[in-house]
Amino acid sequence: PDTISPLQRVLDYEITQTLFIGRHVVLVEGESDFLYLKWFSQQLEKIGKSGLDYRWSICIGRGVDRIPGFISLFRGNQLQVSALVDVQKGQKQKIENARKALDDGHLFTADVYAGATEADVEDILGRKFYVALVNKAFQLPNSVALPATKSTDAPDRVVLEVENSFSVMPTYIREFDHFIPAEYLFQNGDEGTTLPGFQDALTHMEKLIGDINAILKIRH
């Protein structure tokens, strides 16, 4: 009872992998990405369109630089892995390393779906939708609410723009955390469908989800 054979260790590892990760994995960088994929997938299904295929398990990878390690850890166990990653300055080599670790066409970068050279998942949603979501999630009064129109000196990435705005807000406004808008969206049902820019956000996410589903291979 105090020992376990190498074979049992392998079996435990294999069972744990199947139960908690699944055979088809979408790696995302953080909890927000997880919630946005889930919520928009649900919204697509509600209007009769295809959401994220049920066979995909979404796994939080904590950064593009961890993807090669994840692939190495589970290599040889018949996993099909794709990944959605942000694109920022100084990460070109990390992204290329991740691309090489994955099968061809299995790395999805936010810039492609946001139409920008640098992008996070929030940029895929679009500035109009995300700014409205932040205003709702943080219940910002009109006096300090984020403007609908982007200023000329604002950063390209909307998350950086929001962070800069929050850095100069009154002390009674709670500190910005980019998980809070995603959590608010997920916890408030269909409320997000009434926000400005929702249709554009849904279109962008539909394209991303469709591309992820397209690489899914049925394994017998």
Side-chain angles (χ1 to χ4, degrees), residues 9-206:
R9 289 180 187 274
V10 171
L11 290 174
D12 285 345
Y13 175 80
E14 182 71 18
I15 291 170
T16 300
Q17 173 187 307
T18 303
L19 289 177
F20 295 102
I21 297 179
R23 292 296 183 189
H24 309 282
V25 180
V26 181
L27 285 174
V28 297
E29 296 208 28
E31 291 87 350
S32 298
D33 308 52
F34 178 98
L35 293 181
Y36 288 132
L37 271 178
K38 283 284 190 181
W39 189 82
F40 278 95
S41 179
Q42 292 172 0
Q43 297 307 316
L44 287 167
E45 291 172 356
K46 286 180 180 180
I47 59 174
K49 295 188 175 183
S50 298
L52 192 67
D53 192 289
Y54 74 93
R55 288 168 291 181
W56 286 116
S57 297
I58 306 175
C59 181
I60 299 171
R62 304 292 179 192
V64 63
D65 53 329
R66 297 192 178 189
I67 292 174
F70 182 94
I71 299 301
S72 296
L73 181 62
F74 294 109
R75 190 180 301 279
N77 290 300
Q78 304 301 311
L79 292 188
Q80 183 174 26
V81 182
S82 63
L84 170 64
V85 299
D86 300 335
V87 176
Q88 302 171 16
K89 289 180 180 178
Q91 287 196 329
K92 183 177 180 180
Q93 188 58 55
K94 290 181 180 180
I95 290 174
E96 284 307 307
N97 291 342
R99 196 185 303 277
K100 291 175 183 178
L102 295 163
D103 290 340
D104 288 345
H106 283 51
L107 183 69
F108 300 93
T109 57
D111 60 329
V112 172
Y113 301 92
T117 55
E118 290 186 58
D120 305 307
V121 67
E122 290 83 359
D123 296 297
I124 298 176
L125 307 184
R127 184 188 182 279
K128 182 184 291 187
F129 179 81
Y130 187 67
V131 164
L133 176 60
V134 170
N135 285 336
K136 272 281 189 181
F138 286 87
Q139 299 181 336
L140 298 179
N142 291 335
S143 59
V144 296
L146 302 174
T149 303
K150 182 177 181 177
S151 64
T152 56
D153 59 346
D156 291 335
R157 291 162 49 209
V158 68
V159 168
L160 290 183
E161 179 187 350
V162 172
E163 288 176 350
N164 290 347
S165 296
F166 269 74
S167 69
V168 295
M169 282 193 180
T171 55
Y172 64 84
I173 301 296
R174 59 177 166 168
E175 187 177 348
F176 178 69
D177 181 339
H178 67 82
F179 175 70
I180 291 174
E183 181 184 40
Y184 180 90
L185 187 68
F186 197 78
Q187 290 182 345
N188 286 274
D190 297 337
E191 184 178 324
T193 63
T194 66
L195 295 177
F198 166 71
Q199 288 300 329
D200 287 340
L202 187 67
T203 297
H204 297 162
M205 290 299 285
E206 181 182 12

